[in-house]
């Protein structure tokens, strides 16, 4: 029989705190009847965010096209929903039950390329787009290609989203940390990047790529133009590919800030010798369709022979789920002004984004007012990442476990994302409903005071 | 910029002929207006198989639950469909838009375990079931765990479904071939297994698992009880885990044969010291819902600490797509006698399976009658794997490419699956509509005669 000794070290060493031991403990407690407030993961619809009506109406018709022939269909669905469903059915050809081509429906990739063009005023091509089961899968494909040897390294921010450290471990590569500057709003500094790659080199690591998460997870920071330019120049100088995780591009809550894509800045600078892999997803933004597993990967400045290898890799898993591909299509192709659904769609969308903004403030300000907790107001994404003072010999894992046991609030220790040694943090999403956010603040305040006064 | 030299050898060396160069060439030809008959891949709904009404009606309601509140809903949907949709919505709790727990919805895993119990008269547990984006993903998880070192080997049948060779390459392990006996209806022989593991040992390979595909892909062979017993004993003796790819379990066309699961035989023999990983899918059978990416992995005789590692690995990609999980639920929970949908469901199901049976005969007998082609009638799965005589210096890849160029029939060369050196084959699926199957036979007959008489 199989034993732990037979399991690959790459698996044994991988860590994914977002669903790690504290979350499993929370699941146990919930089964025993304890009320849990799930702040561990950016899973909007598990926290009462409703799906957009437009998206689900169309999916409903596309899953069961016979419904379009029902005599009541015009009473049930808005005219633009019916029209869009007919368009999708005509273009998907075999419906949702057939494997699509490996990169995904061509009409969806066309729509994604037009979305990029409209967003950034740059050209984009359907053949450079891969539809994926969530952005995670896109990251997996890219890192599978790039990590060729045990001393191949990938730079990741600290703190980071632990998908990246987990994939690097699973693929047998080396994690090369660069530290974000907490005191400077978690921005990147060239000095920190240079230090990081220099240290890696001294350890014999061949650094091949840099991961940038913008807006930041867990930090909530939004990178400015200058920062992005600096990173592109750094990547060029060190011959690194850039993996730009841009899944939170719609989640910006600071009126002074704006999402700028790596693709746009690269085109502006006319940089053609730095390979770029950009990730986007329907799980975040205002759709929050996590369970549908829909994302895309766009590649730029990749020679055709490398793109062919990526295509082969993608083809081994056949294709991403077809319903998810349709959701992605709708994400980049929302109803237009004048369409029957436009008003409801816009109302739902701004309802979600405005509520997120309020909750980002509520949670961060609330926590920041607690003695011993320092919490920045996030400019983007879905999380706060407060810094906490802890008693001697206590770790953030101890803290988060105690918090869970005594209050039912489930957050993830900063160690799961990485942090400057000697500092402690936790990540909490501000997705729960507003009344629950208030409870979370009260519970944490009460807990923190007791915990640190022992 | 990234170059081919930067791409991992594991990726460069992976091959997946089912979507390989010949298929890409077929896509090009189709774009230029050539009519292609797609016999390269088991993709039923791309070849005019209709989805089951019951499945799609329920999905339609579950994607858009508001439809249940429409005053016409009772006129549009059968009562059992409405009832089942309500049940699913109640049990999925957050609908299809939230990440589910990593292993998948508990009520779906419960239903899968009951399905196994009913099928095999053995116990099964929801905690041993992992819902996956198609069976391919389950295979990937298992092999990721098992391939720990470059000299770790996995036994695979020759011919095989090339997912396995591709995954072994991507994970940096060693492929250990065992040959199926073409002259004995592609059954396994103990002598061949023993020879294979002995040869591997001599090469310094540490063989850790054996993959068995039953019913066979591409062979169509259905393993008998004795064969399965033999394999289990062999695995025990050599301390191998068994990966049982059982995705074609519903696709049996020979009245004398019957699908027997590895789990059932293991329980009958009371074997508790051989680890078993069983794969199943909603892509094949009579559902053919390939594009929905729905499958499951069941584990047996796995210690808890190893199961925990598998759970961690699964959690890194978060969860399989939720709509696919629902399809899997419906696959193991079809309408019952007396339900309003029962009659239509049964009619559609038997229509599909009977047609597959007729087409298996049509294609295999047709090809077998061609001079220079020897084609067994498959007992199961969705393919024929005829042996072909070729002129000197011609390979099966040359043959399949010429066939494509001159007739538009797209099949996959035997070399993509592996074959005894000196023999040539191709794999063709018998999924196209019956009138097309006749055309395929005529086209291949005509082509083969010309090709071999040059």
């Amino acid at each position: 029989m199989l034993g732990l000794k037979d399991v690959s070290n790459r698996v044994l060493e991988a860590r994914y705190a977002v669903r790690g031991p504290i979350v499993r403990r929370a699941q146990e407690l919930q089964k025993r009847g304890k009320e849990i407030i799930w702040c561990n993961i950016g899973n909007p619809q598990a926290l009462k965010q409703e799906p957009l009506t437009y998206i689900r109406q169309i999916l409903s018709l596309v899953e069961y096209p016979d419904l379009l022939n029902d005599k009541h269909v015009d009473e049930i669905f808005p005219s633009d929903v019916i029209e869009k469903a007919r368009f999708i059915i005509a273009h998907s050809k075999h419906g949702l039950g057939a494997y699509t081509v490996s990169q995904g429906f061509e009409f969806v990739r066309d729509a994604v390329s037009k979305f990029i063009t409209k967003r950034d005023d740059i050209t984009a091509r359907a053949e450079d787009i891969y539809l994926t089961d969530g952005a995670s899968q896109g990251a997996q494909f890219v890192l599978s290609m790039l990590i060729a040897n045990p001393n191949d390294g990938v730079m990741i921010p600290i703190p980071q989203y632990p998908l990246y450290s987990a994939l690097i471990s699973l693929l047998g590569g080396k994690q090369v940390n660069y530290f974000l500057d907490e005191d400077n709003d978690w921005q990147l500094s060239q000095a920190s990047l240079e230090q990081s790659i220099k240290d890696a080199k001294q350890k014999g690591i061949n650094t091949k790529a840099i991961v940038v998460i913008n807006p930041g997870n867990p930090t909530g920071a939004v990178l400015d133009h200058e920062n992005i330019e600096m990173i592109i120049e750094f990547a060029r100088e060190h011959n690194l590919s850039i993996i730009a995780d841009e899944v939170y591009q719609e989640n910006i809550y600071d009126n002074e800030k704006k999402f700028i894509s790596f693709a746009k800045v690269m085109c502006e600078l006319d940089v053609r010798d730095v390979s770029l892999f950009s990730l986007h997803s329907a799980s975040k933004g205002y759709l929050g369709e996590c369970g549908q597993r829909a994302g895309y990967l766009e590649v730029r400045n990749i020679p055709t022979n490398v793109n062919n290898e990526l295509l082969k890799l993608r083809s081994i898993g056949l294709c991403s789920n077809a319903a998810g591909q349709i959701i992605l299509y709708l994400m980049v192709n929302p109803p237009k002004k004048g369409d029957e659904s436009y008003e409801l769609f816009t109302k739902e969308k701004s309802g979600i984004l405005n509520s997120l903004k309020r909750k980002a403030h509520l949670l961060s300000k609330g926590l920041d007012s607690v003695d011993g907790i320092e919490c920045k107001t996030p400019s983007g994404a879905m999380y706060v990442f407060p810094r906490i003072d802890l008693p001697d010999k206590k770790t953030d894992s101890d803290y988060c476990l105690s918090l869970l046991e005594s209050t039912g609030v489930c957050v993830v220790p900063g160690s799961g994302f990485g942090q400057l040694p000697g500092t402690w943090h936790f990540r909490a999403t501000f997705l729960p409903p507003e009344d629950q956010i208030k409870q979370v603040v009260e519970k944490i305040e009460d807990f923190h005071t007791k915990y640190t006064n022992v």
Side-chain angles (χ1 to χ4, degrees), chain A:
Chain A
M1 189 159 69
L2 207 54
L4 215 51
K5 67 182 186 334
D6 303 305
V7 174
S8 167
N9 264 323
R10 297 178 296 201
V11 173
L12 294 176
E13 285 166 11
R15 294 283 172 273
Y16 187 64
V18 171
R19 290 209 158 173
I22 287 177
V23 181
R24 284 205 292 281
R25 176 68 184 150
Q27 285 165 349
E28 277 170 35
L29 292 171
Q30 190 181 45
K31 273 201 175 174
R32 290 190 210 156
K34 190 173 177 86
E35 200 198 326
I36 305 294
I37 304 182
W38 298 99
C39 297
N40 60 302
I41 189 168
N43 193 4
Q45 295 189 27
L47 297 163
K48 304 202 175 159
Q49 182 178 311
E50 293 289 329
L52 294 178
T53 304
Y54 178 75
I55 306 270
R56 296 306 192 88
Q57 284 179 328
I58 291 177
L59 268 183
S60 173
L61 289 166
V62 175
E63 284 285 8
Y64 181 50
D66 273 3
L67 201 47
L68 285 165
N69 304 324
D70 191 89
K71 60 179 180 293
H72 303 297
V73 69
D74 295 321
E75 295 168 60
I76 303 174
F77 296 100
S79 57
D80 60 326
V81 161
I82 292 174
E83 201 182 315
K84 191 69 92 179
R86 286 195 197 280
F87 173 90
I88 291 169
I89 290 164
H91 284 75
S92 57
K93 211 171 143 195
H94 308 304
L96 304 188
Y99 296 126
T100 70
V101 293
S102 305
Q103 287 185 260
F105 287 127
E106 192 166 356
F107 79 99
V108 178
R109 290 183 287 118
D110 271 336
V112 171
S113 68
K114 285 186 186 120
F115 160 80
I116 294 169
T117 296
K118 198 174 160 198
R119 182 191 69 194
D120 292 342
D121 197 20
I122 59 177
T123 58
R125 305 184 312 169
E127 64 256 47
D128 293 331
I129 290 157
Y130 292 79
L131 305 181
T132 54
D133 288 313
S136 305
Q137 196 186 34
Q140 192 195 328
F141 289 140
V142 176
L143 291 174
S144 295
M145 278 220 310
L146 293 179
I147 298 178
N149 297 297
N151 64 339
D152 280 355
V154 177
M155 292 178 71
I156 60 173
I158 296 296
Q160 52 119 17
Y161 174 51
L163 169 71
Y164 296 101
S165 49
L167 286 176
I168 294 167
S169 172
L170 289 178
L171 293 162
K174 290 277 187 303
Q175 176 177 327
V176 176
N177 297 336
Y178 65 89
F179 286 88
L180 302 176
D181 186 356
E182 183 163 12
D183 293 329
N184 185 23
D185 229 356
W186 296 111
Q187 296 284 308
L188 280 81
S189 82
Q190 191 172 348
S192 155
L193 295 183
E194 297 286 0
Q195 187 63 49
S196 152
I197 202 165
K198 196 177 138 198
D199 290 351
K201 205 169 184 180
Q202 277 174 354
K203 289 183 201 153
I205 296 172
N206 171 31
T207 306
K208 295 178 78 173
I210 178 168
V211 172
V212 185
I213 311 174
N214 177 41
N217 175 3
T219 64
V222 176
L223 296 185
D224 60 23
H225 200 284
E226 202 181 338
N227 239 267
I228 296 173
E229 259 185 66
M230 180 273 286
I231 296 161
I232 294 171
E233 282 307 325
F234 172 81
R236 174 155 47 188
E237 190 169 329
H238 296 280
N239 195 22
L240 305 178
S241 297
I242 297 176
I243 300 169
D245 177 337
E246 301 178 329
V247 302
Y248 294 102
Q249 60 188 264
E250 297 277 359
N251 299 105
I252 300 210
Y253 313 110
D254 179 339
N255 295 336
E256 311 282 296
K257 307 239 162 137
K258 194 178 145 212
F259 168 72
I260 305 166
S261 79
F262 271 81
K264 185 181 174 67
V265 178
M266 253 189 193
C267 288
E268 283 173 7
L269 300 176
D270 199 25
V271 169
R272 297 176 195 212
D273 54 354
V274 176
S275 299
L276 172 66
F277 300 92
S278 312
L279 302 168
H280 195 13
S281 163
S283 299
K284 312 301 171 184
Y286 52 91
L287 268 65
E289 291 280 12
C290 301
Q292 311 263 13
R293 314 307 296 118
Y296 77 77
L297 162 68
E298 193 217 8
V299 306
R300 264 174 205 267
N301 300 335
I302 309 275
T304 307
N305 54 7
V306 174
N307 210 353
N308 285 343
E309 292 302 315
L310 185 59
L311 176 57
K312 182 180 72 184
L313 187 58
R314 164 72 276 192
S315 77
I316 293 168
L318 293 161
C319 63
S320 67
N321 83 86
Q325 297 184 25
I326 301 306
I327 292 179
L328 207 76
Y329 172 78
L330 298 172
M331 177 178 98
V332 299
N333 234 322
K336 293 182 183 50
K337 213 164 177 165
D339 291 349
E340 195 179 333
S341 298
Y342 181 77
E343 202 178 325
L344 178 63
F345 184 91
T346 307
K347 192 179 143 213
E348 290 176 346
K349 171 182 169 177
S350 57
I352 289 166
L353 290 176
N354 291 336
S355 161
L356 285 174
K357 187 173 179 171
R358 283 195 302 274
K359 294 191 290 190
H361 282 82
L362 255 179
L363 185 57
S364 56
K365 304 275 184 217
L367 292 178
D368 196 50
S369 73
V370 177
D371 244 16
I373 298 185
E374 191 188 323
C375 187
K376 293 187 202 319
T377 299
S379 303
M382 294 181 168
Y383 315 97
V384 294
F385 195 63
R387 183 167 169 171
I388 48 178
D389 293 340
L390 290 186
D392 277 359
K393 295 188 185 166
K394 291 290 184 188
T395 67
D396 49 5
S397 295
D398 302 330
Y399 179 91
C400 294
L401 192 60
S402 286
L403 176 69
L404 170 70
E405 301 278 352
S406 64
T407 66
V409 174
C410 182
V411 301
V412 187
S415 50
F417 305 87
Q419 54 201 348
L420 207 63
T423 68
W424 302 111
H425 301 76
F426 63 82
R427 188 188 82 163
T429 178
F430 48 79
L431 288 168
E434 297 183 39
D435 55 325
Q436 269 199 356
I437 294 270
K438 285 177 198 155
Q439 279 179 49
V440 168
V441 171
E442 282 164 21
K443 282 173 194 273
I444 292 179
E445 176 159 26
D446 190 46
F447 168 80
H448 189 84
T449 312
K450 284 184 192 143
Y451 192 81
T452 51
N453 285 339
V454 170

